[in-house]
Every structure is written in C-alpha cells, then in structure tokens.
DNA sequence: CCATGAACAGACTGTTCATTC
DNA sequence: GAATGAACAGTCTGTTCATGG
C-alpha cells in the first residue's frame, strides 16, 4: 500500500507542497512543532515575498510527511497550562529519509533557480 | 467584457502560462513566429532544465496574449513552397502593453528567484 | 506527418465547513 | 478563539480527440 503521486510530469517549477515540506522538516529538526505554529512561522517568513501559505496546505504537507514519506511521527500532547486542549506535535521519525528528501528538494530548488535566472537573462538583456 | 483571471491568490511561484507568455513576446519581438515553431524552440531551450512545455500550453498562451492582454495579433498565411497549408503567424500589436507586461513578469521572476534562494539558504547551511 | 484547436481529465491548492477544546 | 481535519470548489496544466492540409 501507500503508493502515491510521483512528480516529474513535464517539470516546470517546484510545487508549493514540496517547498513547504522542506521547511517543515528543517524546523522540526530543531525541535517540536505543531501545525498552526508552523503556519504562523512560515507566514512570517514568506510575507515579505508575497507568499502566504494556508493552513490546509500545512496540514496536508504534515500528513504526507507522515504517511507517504514516512519521515515524521506525531504525538498528541496536552497543551501546557490550564488548557486541556490536545495538540498534535511532530518529530523526526527517520532522519535518513529526511536527509534524502531534503537532498532531492535541494536539487530541484537549484534547477528552478537556474531556470528563473535563465528567463531573466533571456528576456531582459 | 473581457474581464478575466487576475492572479495573486496567495502568491507562491510564477505560473507556467505567464512564464511562457514572456518568452513568446520576446521571440515575437524579434520576428514572426507560429505556434509549433515556438513550441520546438522553447522545448529546445528548456530541455536541459528538465522542463518540456506542451503544445496546448503554447496555444493557450498565444490565445490569451491576443484576447486578454491584447498584445499580439494573428495573421493566417499560406506556408511557403508547394504546400497550401495555412499557418497562424503572430506579431506584436501593442508594444507598449508588451513592455508593460514584461515588466510585470520581470518583477515576479525576481521575487521568485529570491524566494528560492532564501529556501536554499534557510534549509542548507 | 504538420498544424491548430478544443474537450476532457487530473493534480494542486484555496475556501469553507465540521468538530473539539 | 485556537487547533485539527476533511469536503468542496476552482484553477492550472497534461492528455486526448477532432479537423484539415
């Protein structure tokens, strides 16, 4: 089971999903995080670049990193303080797979960067 | 009439359509071109970057540059030689609008490039 | 086969709704 | 309101089909 999408159709630019997954892994490598917390952080990061990710994309990315890529595991924990709300906290489950995934995305990011630079060169001499 | 799409939803990366439109304008600024000819040229250009545009995207881009952006006009011409096949050749109709469009896309390309560079910086120290 | 175009279908993502604290 | 999740809807794009030389 668990065979899912495989990208590389005609290969234009990287998809938002993969881009967010990369950031999520890196953040979780440095500590525990849960969904809305990641959303706030990433919104803050990308706001200056006119990009504002949505909460559903973050959750989809987290679910795929757990179910498809098998890179993360989740834990439900009671929030600190008086509140008895459960939140879903993620941590790295397989750091080798995490490393491999990041390597893949890095290559794609560099490819995309070159494509954009080429477009600027070719069209604005 | 003729009110159509306006991008900037949450603003991740530039869309393939806009990217191709830019190249199409630049190519047509330097002479007459028709659809499949542009397709061949652009496939050749982007092949080394793992990107291979499809013919329907080229046609959609051309149609929008004519109908929506009002930057191009088309002419049907008989192909040279013995063949009596008509092909659809485009030329610039409004070079001011072309210039303005390219300026817009340039800004977006630069924004995207910065976003990618940031991702490389942030995740691969 | 070349050339243009439209129709159809699927993938990706944004908006909304549902549920629980 | 915070948090998670799923359902729904729309857009973008790839594949296929249709037409004509």
């Amino acid at each position: 089971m668990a065979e899912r999408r495989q990208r590389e159709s005609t290969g234009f630019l990287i998809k938002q999903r993969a881009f967010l997954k990369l950031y999520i892994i890196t953040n979780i490598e440095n500590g525990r995080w849960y969904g809305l917390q990641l959303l706030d952080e990433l919104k803050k990061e990308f706001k200056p670049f006119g990009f504002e990710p949505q909460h559903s994309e973050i959750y989809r990315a987290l679910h795929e990193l757990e179910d498809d890529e098998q890179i993360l595991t989740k834990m439900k924990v009671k929030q600190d303080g008086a509140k008895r709300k459960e939140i879903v906290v993620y941590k790295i489950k397989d750091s080798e797979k995490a490393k491999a995934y990041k390597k893949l995305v890095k290559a794609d990011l560099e490819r995309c960067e070159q494509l954009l630079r080429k477009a600027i060169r070719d069209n604005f001499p």
Side-chain angles (χ1 to χ4, degrees), chain A:
Chain A
M1 67 198 66
E3 47 181 315
R4 297 286 182 85
R5 83 203 53 57
Q6 221 60 23
R7 57 198 59 73
E8 306 344 308
S9 39
T10 59
F12 183 50
L13 296 181
I14 190 172
K15 296 290 185 294
Q16 180 184 170
R17 189 82 45 90
F19 185 91
L20 291 177
K21 282 177 180 173
L22 171 66
Y23 267 93
I24 289 173
I25 292 174
T26 300
N27 273 296
I28 293 182
E29 282 174 339
N30 302 323
R32 304 279 168 76
W33 291 82
Y34 66 94
L36 282 199
Q37 194 182 13
L38 283 161
L39 179 68
D40 285 347
E41 170 67 14
L42 296 179
K43 275 192 174 176
K44 216 174 293 166
E45 286 283 318
F46 303 135
K47 196 70 172 280
F49 298 87
F51 169 43
E52 189 160 6
Q54 301 299 306
H55 81 275
S56 42
E57 265 302 293
I58 301 288
Y59 286 121
R60 283 188 281 243
L62 284 168
H63 298 337
E64 288 187 11
L65 284 172
E66 192 195 4
D67 300 335
D68 297 6
E69 270 83 41
Q70 306 258 352
I71 290 174
L72 299 182
T73 43
K74 68 168 161 245
M75 268 180 304
K76 295 190 182 185
V77 306
K78 307 269 186 212
Q79 244 179 357
D80 306 326
K83 313 167 192 171
R84 53 194 63 219
K85 170 91 174 181
E86 274 193 334
I87 59 177
V88 181
V89 177
Y90 289 84
K91 65 185 185 71
I92 304 288
K93 171 190 175 187
D94 188 329
S95 59
E96 282 308 307
K97 282 184 182 167
K99 196 178 156 194
Y101 184 82
K102 288 180 73 167
K103 190 175 172 186
L104 266 179
V105 177
K106 180 168 189 252
D108 204 26
L109 285 174
E110 282 164 350
R111 181 189 66 84
C112 294
E113 197 206 338
Q114 286 178 38
L115 192 54
L116 294 181
R117 292 170 77 81
K118 172 178 171 56
I120 294 170
R121 275 202 318 274
D122 289 347
N123 295 280
F124 306 99

